[in-house]
Amino acid sequence: MTESQPPRALRAAVDVVVLGAGPAGLVLGNLLLSAGIDCVVLERASRSHVLTRARAGFLAPNTARILERHGLADGLLRYGLRHGTCEFRTQEGRFRIDYGALGEAGPHHVYPQQNLVADLLRHYLHRGGRIHFDTEALAVHEADGPRPSVTTREPDGRPARWRARYVAGCDGRHGAARRSLPPGAVRRHHDHGVTWLGLLAQAPPSLDAVGYALHDRGFAGHMARTPEMTRYYLQWQRGTPADAWSEQRIWDELDVRMRAADHGPLRRGALLERGLFDLTCDVVEPLRYGSLLLAGDAASLLAPAAAKGANLAVLEAEILAGALAEALVRGDTGGLDGYSDRCLAHIWRAQEFTGWMTRLLHAAPGADGDGDGDRDGGGGSLFQAALRRSRIASLRTSSIHRDWFAENYVCV
Ligand code: APR
């Protein structure tokens, strides 16, 4: 601990301390309460920050099934928009894949993540759940023993210590769980070499599909959020500040890359948020260290190209809740022993498809390292660009490839 003040008296011990009130932590908290397990959620941010943070918004069919199974899908089913089509725009024209109706796939629900988090919090409180906002976990201690603890900085700035039987690290990539891993933990990391400028526009969607525009100036993406709000992405020069361009210049560039002149104008509006996303990914292996278990972004970070992060987080939370209930209610730790392998199989499948999708959408700088000086203006090599054209042609023409795409696009 770094504080000079001594920790407060130990907080009463609980069965599970959950770090983080994102989708992973709040689904887990709800399911633990339903199983009669005592838990507390500790969240670094304020309640209002958690409830207004715009993040992902595409929830896969399996995610909706999990939420429905546990009585957590009311808002999603009532307000979420069904979405099953994506449109690719390339130099050769545009084509659509109705992925929601192909193979074993199904449509997404488009539902902003902050709305899902608000629903999960409402249910959690309704079920009698305890949550402490403005409470930052600093470290997890003694995870290799039967009584781990978490040190925190409380809202008044003073330190405290929470005891538990298990600690669930659902506190994202920069959280205390990851910082507390033992030296043997492995973090496998990959940088796709691409940066996105993410934009939240106060404007209705411009097409009734997810839009993926492949352009030699770089990728541009369009994703509906609500009838009034749309998310856009622009492949961005890494290192350039998010506010380097005016709104006018951003919309003009989106028009060019989305080929608005050929396919219709984009509906413009104020850009409410701008954020930079380096398309990096990682996986922590294993996901269990004694009494400390990782889920969601704390377990694995995915590039946003295939919108899998929140879906994996919900799936892992359900698996973890089942395993903790078995251990705490019936004394059977088999589920916890298998937790890591079970989740890693889903995580690596999602990483594989996300990597494929990322290579499809971008000519990443230096991606092939062919060293022949064969470079185009978009920062990728002509060799890579040709491979991409071939992949796109296959996607456009092969029904098997489209089924494969559809199933992987929505599966978690
Ligand atoms: N102590 C307590 N809480 C913390 C700490 C900490 N030290 N560090 C981070 N947190 C909180 C964050 O404020 C956040 O509310 O943990 C929460 C983690 O939530 P998310 O980042 O939403 O992660 P997760 O629940 O794993 O959801 C996964 O949803 O939109 C996607 O990109 C997102 O892929 C991610 C996914």
Side-chain angles (χ1 to χ4, degrees), residues 216-249:
D216 59 11
R217 294 166 72 118
F219 165 75
H222 161 285
M223 289 173 201
R225 277 292 178 273
T226 68
E228 300 84 29
M229 299 285 225
T230 309
R231 207 129 171 62
Y232 285 93
Y233 295 101
L234 271 182
Q235 188 177 345
W236 195 247
Q237 183 77 40
R238 195 170 277 184
T240 303
D243 59 2
W245 289 12
S246 67
E247 291 203 3
Q248 172 81 33
R249 184 169 176 198

Side-chain angles (χ1 to χ4, degrees), residues 19-26 42-45 49-50 53 55-57 113 117 135-138 170-177 179 295-298 300-302 308-311 313:
L19 308 181
L26 288 173
L42 306 179
E43 166 58 51
R44 179 182 59 188
H49 182 75
V50 165
R53 196 169 36 187
R55 307 284 286 275
Q113 188 168 309
V117 165
T135 300
E136 181 181 8
L138 301 173
C170 304
D171 51 350
R173 67 185 299 196
H174 298 301
R179 286 199 304 273
D297 273 12
S300 174
L301 186 71
L302 284 117
K308 301 263 186 215
N311 294 293

Side-chain angles (χ1 to χ4, degrees), residues 187-379:
R187 188 176 75 94
R188 303 185 195 286
H189 175 263
H190 177 69
D191 186 345
H192 293 289
V194 174
T195 297
W196 280 4
L197 174 67
L199 304 155
L200 188 64
Q202 192 168 34
S206 297
L207 55 159
D208 57 350
V210 181
Y212 294 117
L214 283 60
H215 198 283
D216 59 11
R217 294 166 72 118
F219 165 75
H222 161 285
M223 289 173 201
R225 277 292 178 273
T226 68
E228 300 84 29
M229 299 285 225
T230 309
R231 207 129 171 62
Y232 285 93
Y233 295 101
L234 271 182
Q235 188 177 345
W236 195 247
Q237 183 77 40
R238 195 170 277 184
T240 303
D243 59 2
W245 289 12
S246 67
E247 291 203 3
Q248 172 81 33
R249 184 169 176 198
I250 286 175
W251 281 114
D252 290 349
E253 185 69 16
L254 282 167
D255 268 349
V256 171
R257 297 191 195 179
M258 301 280 306
R259 297 180 168 83
D262 298 330
H263 306 308
L266 300 178
R267 300 163 90 170
R268 298 187 175 198
L271 298 177
L272 303 182
E273 281 182 25
R274 300 181 185 204
L276 294 177
F277 302 92
D278 290 338
L279 271 58
T280 60
C281 53
D282 67 19
V283 181
V284 174
E285 289 191 334
L287 303 182
R288 178 185 177 195
Y289 300 87
S291 310
L292 170 62
L293 299 116
L294 307 183
D297 273 12
S300 174
L301 186 71
L302 284 117
K308 301 263 186 215
N311 294 293
L312 266 183
V314 171
L315 175 69
E316 290 158 14
E318 188 193 43
I319 295 173
L320 181 54
L324 285 168
E326 270 174 30
L328 287 162
V329 178
R330 292 201 293 280
D332 174 0
T333 57
L336 287 178
D337 295 340
Y339 171 72
S340 186
D341 285 350
R342 199 168 157 200
C343 289
L344 284 168
H346 292 279
I347 287 172
W348 281 114
R349 184 171 178 190
Q351 289 286 7
E352 202 286 318
F353 182 74
T354 301
W356 178 88
M357 190 82 184
T358 304
R359 289 191 297 281
L360 181 78
L361 300 180
H362 311 91
D368 59 353
D370 51 10
D372 59 2
D374 184 19
R375 304 225 151 253
D376 61 27

